[in-house]
Amino acid sequence: MRVGVLTGGGDCPGLNAVIRAIVRKGVQEYGYEFTGFRDGWHGPLEGDTVPLDIPAVRGILPRGGTILGSSRTNPLKVENGVRRVKDNLAKYEVDALVAIGGEDTLGVATALSDDYGVPCVGVPKTIDNDLAATDYTFGFDTAVNIATEAIDRLHTTAESHMRVLVVEVMGRHAGWIALHSGLAGGANAILIPEQRFDLDQVCAWVESRFKIRYAPIVVVAEGAMPKDGDMVLKDQTLDSFGHVRLSGVGEWLAKEIERRTGKEARTTVLGHVQRGGTPSAFDRWLATRFGLHAIDAVRDRDWGKMVALRGTEIVRVPLRDATAQLKTVDPRLYTEAGVFFG
C-alpha cells in the first residue's frame, strides 16, 4: 500500500511529530510506502509531491511547522478540483490519504471520503482547540504555554509603568487559548468570542486594579466582540474557505480603555508567535499517538474516520461528526474564571 500524507491550514507545533509517527510505524510494522503532498490540498490538486520515508522524518520530532508545507487551498472550490485530486492520487499510485488539519482541511477530507469515495483518515490539528469530538488538539498546549509566558513577562513591564496592557491572542470563534492562558497568567480580564463583553465593565475592572496600585492585564481573543459592536477585521478579503482575516480588537480595546479611563494602555498582539517554535512535551506526545493510531486506521481500511483523544484513550470518530460543529468554551468554565476579574 502507498499512503499519501498532507498537512493543511495554519501551521501548528506537533505536525512533524504526526508525520514521523505515521511513517515510522507504517514502514516498520506494515511495510507501507509513503508520498508526501506539499502545501496542504495544493499537493494532491497539482500533483506536487515530496519523497517521504524514514530518513526524511529523522530529527523532526522537536521541530515546529511542517516539513510538508501548508496552505489554505480548497479543491472543492476549484474547477474540476475533485477530479484533479483523484487523477493525481491514481497517477502517484496512492491508495489512501491521511489528512492532518483543522475544521477546513478535514472538511475537505470529509467530502472526498463520503461523497467521492476517496479513502481518507483524518488527524485533528488546530491551536484553537475548537474541533468537536476530541478533548484536545495538538498545538493548543504549546500556544497556551507561549501566551502564558508572554503574559508573565508583560506583568513586570505593566507594573513598572503602571499601564494597562492588552494582550491579543488567537481564537477566531473559540476562546480556549484566551481562557487557559489568561487564567494561567493571572489576567485581570479575559474576553472571548463566546461571550460578548461590556466595555463599561472592562473599564471598571481596569480601574479597580489601579485603586490598589496594580497594573491590569486584559487578555482578548481575536474574535471577541463588544455587546454594542461587531468583530474587528484586518480587512474584508476572504480566503478559499470563506474566512476573513481577524486581528485588531486588541488595539481598538486599548484605545477605548485609555479614552474612557484616562489610563495609558498598550497592546501586544501575539499573532503567529503562538504557532511557531518547538512543540511542548504534551503536544509531541499527543501528536505522536495520533499518528500511530491514524496509520492503524489505514491498516484497518477504516475510511472516513478521525482519530480523537477521549480522556487518555485515542478513539476513532466519523469525520463528518468531527467537523459538523465547533467546540466552544462552556459558559460554566468562563464563569469559574470570573472570580479573578477586576
Side-chain angles (χ1 to χ4, degrees):
M1 177 177 281
R2 179 174 292 277
V3 181
V5 182
L6 64 84
T7 55
D11 64 297
C12 175
L15 282 167
N16 287 322
V18 181
I19 297 168
R20 170 180 175 267
I22 289 170
V23 173
R24 285 285 298 271
K25 187 169 187 178
V27 171
Q28 292 174 193
E29 297 198 10
Y30 304 138
Y32 294 164
E33 296 180 339
F34 291 88
T35 294
F37 286 104
R38 294 183 187 274
D39 302 331
W41 289 109
H42 165 87
L45 184 66
E46 302 295 341
D48 192 356
T49 67
V50 59
L52 199 56
D53 54 18
I54 287 181
V57 301
R58 286 191 182 128
I60 68 172
L61 176 64
R63 285 175 54 182
T66 165
I67 63 170
L68 296 178
S70 191
S71 74
R72 297 192 184 276
T73 303
N74 184 356
L76 303 181
K77 296 293 182 68
V78 176
E79 186 176 358
N80 297 319
V82 173
R83 180 185 58 79
R84 289 164 60 184
V85 168
K86 295 182 75 171
D87 287 349
N88 281 319
L89 293 179
K91 176 182 177 181
Y92 292 100
E93 300 180 331
V94 173
D95 303 299
L97 197 57
V98 178
I100 310 166
E103 174 195 8
D104 296 326
T105 301
L106 296 183
V108 173
T110 301
L112 290 177
S113 178
D114 290 359
D115 302 333
Y116 299 102
V118 177
C120 290
V121 168
V123 177
K125 169 242 60 166
T126 169
I127 66 169
D128 292 337
N129 196 42
D130 60 359
L131 269 179
T134 184
D135 291 349
Y136 287 98
T137 55
F138 68 87
F140 171 67
D141 184 69
T142 302
V144 168
N145 285 336
I146 291 169
T148 301
E149 182 180 355
I151 295 167
D152 287 346
R153 292 176 181 274
L154 290 169
H155 271 294
T156 58
T157 186
E159 291 162 8
S160 296
H161 296 275
M162 291 304 291
R163 293 170 174 153
V164 183
L165 281 183
V166 177
V167 185
E168 183 184 304
V169 300
M170 286 183 168
R172 178 177 293 273
H173 299 298
W176 294 108
I177 295 176
L179 181 64
H180 281 239
S181 64
L183 198 57
N188 308 112
I190 302 170
L191 311 179
I192 62 175
E194 294 87 343
Q195 302 278 342
R196 283 182 175 261
F197 60 86
D198 184 332
L199 193 51
D200 290 334
Q201 178 64 74
V202 174
C203 290
W205 287 332
V206 165
E207 290 179 319
S208 72
R209 292 287 88 186
F210 280 111
K211 289 178 180 178
I212 58 172
R213 292 197 55 77
Y214 189 93
I217 299 284
V218 179
V219 174
V220 57
E222 62 186 0
M225 293 180 286
K227 284 184 177 179
D228 302 316
D230 298 316
M231 187 178 290
V232 179
L233 307 179
K234 207 171 187 67
D235 57 50
Q236 297 292 331
T237 305
L238 302 180
D239 65 18
S240 61
F241 290 96
H243 300 310
V244 293
R245 293 177 63 195
L246 300 186
S247 188
V249 66
E251 191 66 34
W252 175 85
L253 184 62
K255 289 178 180 178
E256 285 296 315
I257 290 173
E258 188 167 302
R259 182 177 69 83
R260 292 173 179 236
T261 67
K263 304 296 184 182
E264 185 179 5
R266 299 289 179 86
T267 307
T268 298
V269 181
L270 296 185
H272 289 83
V273 169
Q274 296 158 94
R275 295 189 180 279
T278 187
S280 67
F282 178 82
D283 280 339
R284 298 184 204 188
W285 172 85
L286 180 58
T288 297
R289 292 193 70 201
F290 276 162
L292 296 175
H293 284 262
I295 200 63
D296 285 346
V298 170
R299 175 203 58 191
D300 296 340
R301 271 61 170 179
D302 198 3
W303 313 128
K305 297 295 179 61
M306 182 190 84
V307 292
L309 180 69
R310 297 279 180 84
T312 59
E313 298 296 318
I314 305 296
V315 300
R316 299 175 194 170
V317 298
L319 269 170
R320 190 165 294 280
D321 292 349
T323 57
Q325 63 182 16
L326 291 178
K327 181 180 68 180
T328 53
V329 172
D330 187 322
R332 292 173 298 179
L333 294 177
Y334 188 67
T335 299
E336 284 180 2
V339 70
F340 300 104
F341 297 173

